[in-house]
Amino acid sequence: MADASYESTYQTAAEDTGVRPTRPLRSADVPRWDHEADVVIVGLGGAGAAAAIEACQAGASVLILERASEGGGSTAQSGGIIYFGGGTPVQTACGFEDDPAEMLKYLLMASGPNPDAEKCRLYVEQSLEHFRWFEAQGIEFKRSYYPKKTTEPVTDDCLLYSGNENVWPFDVSAKAAPRGHKPKVEGSAGRVIMETLIGRVKELGADIQENARAQTLVVDEQGTVVGVHYKELGEPRYARAKRGVILCAGGFIMNRELVARHVPKLLNVNIQIGNPGDDGAGILMGLGVGAGTLCMGEGFVSVPFYPPSKLVSGIIVNAQGQRFINEDAYHGRTGEYVLQQSGGVAYLILDNECFGRPIAGMQIKAAEESIEELERGLELPEGSLTHTVSYYNRFAERGEDPLFHKAKNYLKPLVNGPYAALDLSVGKAIIPGFTMGGLDTLPTGEVLTADKHVVRGLYAAGRTTAGLPRSAAGYSSGMSIGGATFFGRLAGRTAATR
Amino acid sequence: MADASYESTYQTAAEDTGVRPTRPLRSADVPRWDHEADVVIVGLGGAGAAAAIEACQAGASVLILERASEGGGSTAQSGGIIYFGGGTPVQTACGFEDDPAEMLKYLLMASGPNPDAEKCRLYVEQSLEHFRWFEAQGIEFKRSYYPKKTTEPVTDDCLLYSGNENVWPFDVSAKAAPRGHKPKVEGSAGRVIMETLIGRVKELGADIQENARAQTLVVDEQGTVVGVHYKELGEPRYARAKRGVILCAGGFIMNRELVARHVPKLLNVNIQIGNPGDDGAGILMGLGVGAGTLCMGEGFVSVPFYPPSKLVSGIIVNAQGQRFINEDAYHGRTGEYVLQQSGGVAYLILDNECFGRPIAGMQIKAAEESIEELERGLELPEGSLTHTVSYYNRFAERGEDPLFHKAKNYLKPLVNGPYAALDLSVGKAIIPGFTMGGLDTLPTGEVLTADKHVVRGLYAAGRTTAGLPRSAAGYSSGMSIGGATFFGRLAGRTAATR
């Protein structure tokens, strides 16, 4: 057992992982303070901007360290859907009733086997206030409903079903209402959200340092977080935080080593949802001062096979030629189930009527005149797909889906050849993903150690934390920006008034 | 936003979780050293005993702290199967060829998307040596093969297929060989393994303190681990470790709070595989000195529906009346798949010929004269089970299973009524489980920080670490004791010669 040789091999390999040291710097070792503010925020994405606005409004001086050359983070890159409910002005104007109790039921169910009930409850309780806050920042929401199944409306319409609210089995347990709210912008609204919030941050007088990459937290002799050591275009800098540091530095989908060790299923993802800063730096800094983590094994994956929504009238089958999900489920839920199938194999079977041009990058695996030929073309077991289609058709004719309860409007017998199979398989389809685990925090943003003590002076929000969404099978679009901004605001206010 | 009230609520709740503080004690604060040894080992299960034997043989003085009133740990409670291969004397005597390269392929595939290739390679390379080591300790292995499908032989036979080696899809990628080796004892052999190893530990002169519960690690000013603070029947004690401390303190399946935050799926388990000491104490002590963790989101679950092996000739269906796995898969793989089905529903469908008395605690959900009646009795969708059975029967008659490739010897058409359905569903079936994540270690047992630096003076092995097995869908019986003892030995030797 040549221990010595293994040790040296390993140590060398470990140096290449890019998982940087996160041990805090002791304040006694800080050569000088280049900046001083009540609150120092690491990262100017959705969470950081919301935290900064609240902290400024609570009277605190705020310094924001953004590693990119401009703020925005992953929120700016996103579609910009925000999860609100319980009777928002948009829901009401569009004729939807939404009881907060039903929204809470949904959130608890969607969060998986281990929801943060307090965070869910607060989020629901304050949802209308949070919606009004967005409007007060200058973000407009059209009083309109977008009825189609999509990942993100291309119009400037606002309200949509952005998750599994109206699909089985969620609709059985909680009364459905659409809760995705997109600002009034044609197409993606993430950039407008961030331009608006950053504009507000500037108006309120926060100091924004761009190209400023946080290196480590600074702690005093009691272990209280009192600042951040960062580099500004490579030059070492030291910022003192008189009241607290808020980590809003994103998740870790860009850090392959961390993904491999905590969420190995995300190694199947071929589009990392995030920005290059999502390398786990914030989580690692938190760990360095004793923070605990939560749900680090959870990750969102998606197989975004729609729009167009007519594709939802197709059926998805696995390598056994069997269906395994209601095709009208949210694309994230579908992605989670695709990963669970043997060999990660899944095909969307379409007839000529429900066929539509799929999004760029999707591949047609086979196209044939009959289902029998398609079965052979896909090398599915003899009689498997033909049975699945004939069974599906028999009930679809009556508007029923006894297996998976797909909604009636998508139930159309597949009888008009030719037929095609879109490849939704792992390694073939577009499979975007992001991490869901992170630092353990109180609803107030206070970071907790593994043994549930507060790390004094440290706060966190957004994807750096384990927030509202924490189950791939239950995620809805809008939970990320909704949770990041809501709990970012709370963190900003808590830190400012410490 | 009543921050203050949330803070106090949370802090109170957090005190109730039973997740104990794990911050290390500074050596300057140690009032006295009650004991001193070269190597201090926390936990006398399989890993701890193996580590102690090697450390003693390398000339070190060894102190073992065992919190229970006697050693044994979860290994003593287990069936005692150990995973060996690559041509062991038992494999050879029973006529099985096993190429180490095939064993390595299997281990890499079984470990999931993120195997520890170095640990797998070493484990295979030294498998014969490890087998001989067990024999040298006085553990006998009969040169016999147990051919039936079981969770654990009731005879004193040795060799069995204890995982997915000979089932689809593993058999396609790596040449199968049975690698589970059970010591020559009728039924469970865990106790004999531990009695033998503990006997050896005593012969070699290690000092065993029972009723000694480790509280925290002790570190010097450089952060090097130099001892353990423990309590002996409630009295504080301090043990100095001159060369190192080895954490062999088990996993965390008994700590509901840790399970909820890291492996929420294990909340579905109704039999915790382990002993009361598996509360994560070792992992938490490691975290307290900066150790990193790995695979904390992975957990083993099982639906042990066989023996008798004739039950494997039944078919398992979900709430859609569809099969979703080859029924001859290892019961752990089956358990993982059951958890993934809608509502966690699964039934084992049997005819009168393959019916046999199931293990205690299993419930018959329905029994009927025909498959049509069984379908109605189980409230399965109309025409679902009847199709599944007729399709299965059609191919089983020819010895084929085009969907899931169950082995020929279990393919018997289900045609002899009456028919019964055993309930394998979550909440109904016996679902044992254990945690698979833990401290990140080198093959030598050296514990690594999150940024891959060695924590000086600290070693770990067994379930306290993320070891060989790290995927519920790929686990084989014997990997736990095999990995715990193999890497326990390495840790003992490394610490002793530091």
Side-chain angles (χ1 to χ4, degrees):
Chain A
M1 298 189 201
D3 302 353
S5 68
Y6 280 105
E7 186 180 329
S8 58
T9 311
Y10 252 77
Q11 299 271 2
T12 310
E15 298 303 321
D16 298 331
T17 56
V19 180
R20 299 191 315 279
T22 53
R23 271 165 291 196
L25 189 65
R26 286 191 292 192
S27 52
D29 298 330
V30 170
R32 66 184 179 278
W33 292 115
D34 298 292
H35 287 272
E36 184 175 287
D38 292 327
V39 175
V40 176
I41 297 173
V42 178
L44 185 54
I53 292 168
E54 289 285 340
C56 286
Q57 288 181 328
S61 61
V62 172
L63 168 67
I64 305 172
L65 305 173
E66 168 54 48
R67 64 194 270 178
S69 57
E70 65 172 357
S74 299
T75 301
Q77 297 180 357
S78 76
I81 295 169
I82 312 171
Y83 204 80
F84 298 118
T88 68
V90 187
Q91 288 179 317
T92 305
C94 297
F96 292 98
E97 280 187 12
D98 187 15
D99 183 343
E102 298 298 320
M103 178 180 175
L104 181 57
K105 269 194 236 167
Y106 178 77
L107 281 185
L108 291 172
M109 187 179 177
S111 293
N114 182 31
D116 186 327
E118 270 305 288
K119 281 187 183 164
C120 289
R121 194 175 68 74
L122 251 191
Y123 189 80
V124 169
E125 223 174 75
Q126 316 253 346
S127 191
L128 299 187
E129 189 279 337
H130 195 44
F131 174 83
R132 285 191 295 266
W133 180 86
F134 264 94
E135 289 197 321
Q137 307 312 308
I139 291 168
E140 278 186 84
F141 298 96
K142 193 171 168 184
R143 271 49 179 169
S144 67
Y145 174 61
Y146 187 87
K148 293 185 200 166
K149 191 89 188 163
T150 188
T151 48
E152 169 189 322
V154 290
T155 66
D156 68 352
D157 289 309
C158 177
L159 192 63
L160 78 162
Y161 277 103
S162 65
N164 294 295
E165 295 81 0
N166 59 342
V167 304
W168 185 82
F170 295 85
D171 61 349
V172 179
S173 300
K175 186 167 176 258
R179 301 195 186 99
H181 288 64
K182 192 173 74 73
K184 190 179 170 185
V185 182
E186 295 203 349
S188 292
R191 179 143 294 282
V192 165
I193 290 175
M194 287 313 302
E195 281 169 2
T196 308
L197 294 185
I198 292 173
R200 285 288 294 152
V201 168
K202 288 177 178 169
E203 275 169 38
L204 290 165
D207 182 5
I208 301 175
Q209 296 285 319
E210 284 151 353
N211 305 302
R213 183 162 172 161
Q215 304 291 308
T216 58
L217 295 169
V218 180
V219 296
D220 69 11
E221 282 168 20
Q222 284 75 46
T224 303
V225 174
V226 296
V228 179
H229 164 42
Y230 65 101
K231 287 190 174 170
E232 195 177 343
L233 296 174
E235 291 300 310
R237 296 278 186 268
Y238 304 89
R240 185 166 166 234
K242 288 189 286 182
R243 298 191 187 164
V245 172
I246 311 180
L247 296 171
C248 302
F252 61 96
I253 188 63
M254 299 301 177
N255 188 325
R256 193 175 168 84
E257 166 70 13
L258 278 185
V259 165
R261 60 157 78 182
H262 295 299
V263 218
K265 74 168 184 180
L266 290 186
L267 296 173
N268 293 307
V269 159
N270 50 21
I271 295 186
Q272 281 77 19
I273 300 182
N275 72 82
D278 285 312
D279 62 357
I283 295 170
L284 294 171
M285 279 187 275
L287 281 168
V289 296
T293 53
L294 216 56
C295 304
M296 289 292 279
E298 302 290 320
F300 169 91
V301 289
S302 159
V303 177
F305 70 88
Y306 57 81
S309 52
K310 64 198 290 200
L311 294 177
V312 176
S313 294
I315 59 172
I316 303 177
V317 300
N318 57 21
Q320 286 75 39
Q322 296 179 335
R323 288 172 73 214
F324 54 89
I325 195 163
N326 32 331
E327 294 78 6
D328 59 348
Y330 177 66
H331 51 90
R333 185 172 173 83
T334 304
E336 179 71 2
Y337 276 79
V338 167
L339 250 61
Q340 294 174 349
Q341 304 308 306
S342 315
V345 170
Y347 304 118
L348 175 66
I349 308 297
L350 302 159
D351 73 354
N352 201 35
E353 197 154 307
C354 65
F355 186 82
R357 181 181 291 276
I359 59 169
M362 298 288 284
Q363 300 171 44
I364 293 173
K365 173 83 176 178
E368 302 286 352
E369 288 303 314
S370 70
I371 292 293
E372 289 73 14
E373 287 165 297
L374 196 63
E375 182 180 284
R376 283 193 295 274
L378 294 172
E379 298 180 356
L380 294 174
E382 178 193 334
S384 62
L385 183 65
T386 45
H387 167 75
T388 297
V389 172
S390 76
Y391 185 89
Y392 177 81
N393 285 351
R394 174 151 68 97
F395 290 94
E397 269 166 28
R398 318 182 205 157
E400 290 172 18
D401 173 13
L403 298 191
F404 295 100
H405 313 286
K406 181 158 73 169
K408 277 200 177 68
N409 53 318
Y410 296 116
L411 289 171
K412 297 184 172 62
L414 302 172
V415 289
N416 301 292
Y419 302 90
L422 274 189
D423 202 339
L424 307 187
S425 307
V426 172
K428 304 293 181 184
I430 295 169
I431 303 193
F434 55 78
T435 60
M436 300 180 102
L439 301 180
D440 189 9
T441 54
L442 295 177
T444 55
E446 289 162 287
V447 172
L448 297 173
T449 63
D451 55 355
K452 293 275 183 194
H453 291 278
V454 166
V455 178
R456 274 168 305 174
L458 188 63
Y459 304 81
R463 189 105 301 139
T464 302
T465 68
L468 212 55
R470 47 177 68 179
S471 150
Y475 184 83
S476 298
S477 283
M479 286 181 172
S480 293
I481 301 180
T485 51
F486 182 79
F487 294 105
R489 289 177 62 204
L490 263 170
R493 188 176 302 194
T494 313
T497 56
R498 177 163 157 246
Chain B
M1 296 190 200
D3 302 352
S5 68
Y6 280 105
E7 187 180 327
S8 56
T9 311
Y10 252 78
Q11 300 272 1
T12 310
E15 298 302 322
D16 299 330
T17 56
V19 180
R20 299 191 313 280
T22 54
R23 272 165 291 196
L25 190 65
R26 286 191 292 191
S27 53
D29 298 329
V30 170
R32 66 182 180 279
W33 293 113
D34 298 292
H35 287 273
E36 184 174 286
D38 292 327
V39 175
V40 176
I41 298 172
V42 178
L44 184 53
I53 291 169
E54 289 284 340
C56 286
Q57 288 182 327
S61 61
V62 173
L63 168 67
I64 305 171
L65 305 173
E66 168 55 48
R67 64 195 268 177
S69 58
E70 65 171 356
S74 298
T75 300
Q77 297 182 356
S78 76
I81 295 169
I82 312 170
Y83 204 80
F84 297 118
T88 68
V90 186
Q91 289 179 315
T92 306
C94 298
F96 291 98
E97 279 187 12
D98 188 16
D99 183 342
E102 299 298 319
M103 178 179 174
L104 181 57
K105 269 193 239 167
Y106 179 77
L107 282 185
L108 291 172
M109 188 178 176
S111 294
N114 182 31
D116 186 328
E118 271 305 289
K119 281 187 182 163
C120 289
R121 194 175 68 73
L122 251 191
Y123 189 80
V124 169
E125 224 174 75
Q126 317 253 345
S127 191
L128 298 187
E129 189 277 338
H130 195 45
F131 174 83
R132 285 190 295 266
W133 180 86
F134 265 93
E135 289 198 321
Q137 306 313 307
I139 292 167
E140 279 186 84
F141 298 95
K142 193 172 168 184
R143 269 53 177 167
S144 66
Y145 174 62
Y146 187 86
K148 294 184 199 167
K149 191 88 187 166
T150 188
T151 50
E152 171 190 321
V154 289
T155 66
D156 67 352
D157 288 309
C158 177
L159 192 63
L160 78 162
Y161 277 102
S162 65
N164 294 295
E165 296 81 358
N166 59 341
V167 305
W168 185 81
F170 295 85
D171 61 349
V172 179
S173 300
K175 187 169 175 259
R179 300 194 186 99
H181 288 63
K182 192 172 74 70
K184 190 179 171 185
V185 182
E186 293 203 353
S188 292
R191 180 142 294 281
V192 164
I193 291 174
M194 287 314 301
E195 280 169 1
T196 308
L197 294 185
I198 292 174
R200 285 289 290 153
V201 168
K202 288 177 177 168
E203 275 171 36
L204 289 165
D207 182 4
I208 302 175
Q209 296 283 319
E210 285 151 353
N211 304 302
R213 185 162 170 161
Q215 304 291 310
T216 59
L217 295 168
V218 180
V219 297
D220 69 11
E221 283 169 20
Q222 284 76 47
T224 302
V225 174
V226 296
V228 179
H229 164 42
Y230 65 102
K231 286 191 176 171
E232 196 178 341
L233 296 173
E235 291 300 311
R237 297 277 185 271
Y238 304 89
R240 186 167 166 233
K242 288 189 286 182
R243 298 193 186 163
V245 171
I246 311 180
L247 296 171
C248 301
F252 60 98
I253 188 64
M254 298 302 177
N255 188 325
R256 194 175 167 86
E257 165 70 13
L258 278 184
V259 165
R261 60 159 75 182
H262 295 299
V263 217
K265 73 167 185 180
L266 290 187
L267 296 173
N268 294 306
V269 160
N270 49 21
I271 294 187
Q272 281 76 20
I273 299 182
N275 71 83
D278 284 312
D279 63 357
I283 295 169
L284 293 170
M285 280 186 274
L287 282 168
V289 296
T293 53
L294 215 58
C295 304
M296 289 292 279
E298 300 290 321
F300 170 92
V301 289
S302 159
V303 177
F305 71 88
Y306 56 79
S309 52
K310 65 198 289 199
L311 294 177
V312 176
S313 293
I315 60 172
I316 303 176
V317 301
N318 57 20
Q320 286 74 39
Q322 296 180 336
R323 290 173 72 215
F324 54 88
I325 194 163
N326 33 329
E327 293 78 7
D328 59 347
Y330 177 67
H331 52 90
R333 185 172 174 83
T334 303
E336 178 71 1
Y337 276 79
V338 166
L339 250 62
Q340 294 174 350
Q341 303 309 304
S342 315
V345 170
Y347 304 117
L348 174 67
I349 308 298
L350 301 161
D351 73 354
N352 200 34
E353 197 154 306
C354 67
F355 186 83
R357 181 181 291 277
I359 59 169
M362 298 290 284
Q363 301 171 43
I364 293 173
K365 173 84 176 176
E368 303 285 353
E369 288 303 313
S370 70
I371 293 292
E372 289 74 12
E373 287 164 296
L374 196 64
E375 181 180 285
R376 283 192 295 274
L378 295 172
E379 298 180 357
L380 294 174
E382 176 193 335
S384 61
L385 182 65
T386 45
H387 167 75
T388 296
V389 172
S390 77
Y391 185 89
Y392 176 80
N393 285 350
R394 173 150 69 96
F395 289 94
E397 269 165 29
R398 315 183 207 156
E400 289 172 18
D401 173 14
L403 298 191
F404 294 101
H405 313 285
K406 181 157 72 168
K408 278 200 176 69
N409 53 317
Y410 296 115
L411 290 170
K412 296 184 173 61
L414 303 171
V415 290
N416 301 292
Y419 302 89
L422 274 190
D423 202 339
L424 306 188
S425 306
V426 172
K428 303 293 182 183
I430 295 169
I431 303 192
F434 55 78
T435 60
M436 301 179 101
L439 301 180
D440 189 9
T441 55
L442 295 177
T444 56
E446 289 162 287
V447 172
L448 297 173
T449 63
D451 55 356
K452 294 275 183 194
H453 290 279
V454 166
V455 177
R456 274 168 306 173
L458 189 62
Y459 304 82
R463 190 109 296 143
T464 302
T465 68
L468 211 54
R470 48 177 68 178
S471 150
Y475 184 82
S476 299
S477 283
M479 285 180 171
S480 293
I481 301 181
T485 51
F486 182 79
F487 293 105
R489 290 177 62 203
L490 263 171
R493 189 177 300 196
T494 313
T497 56
R498 176 165 157 246

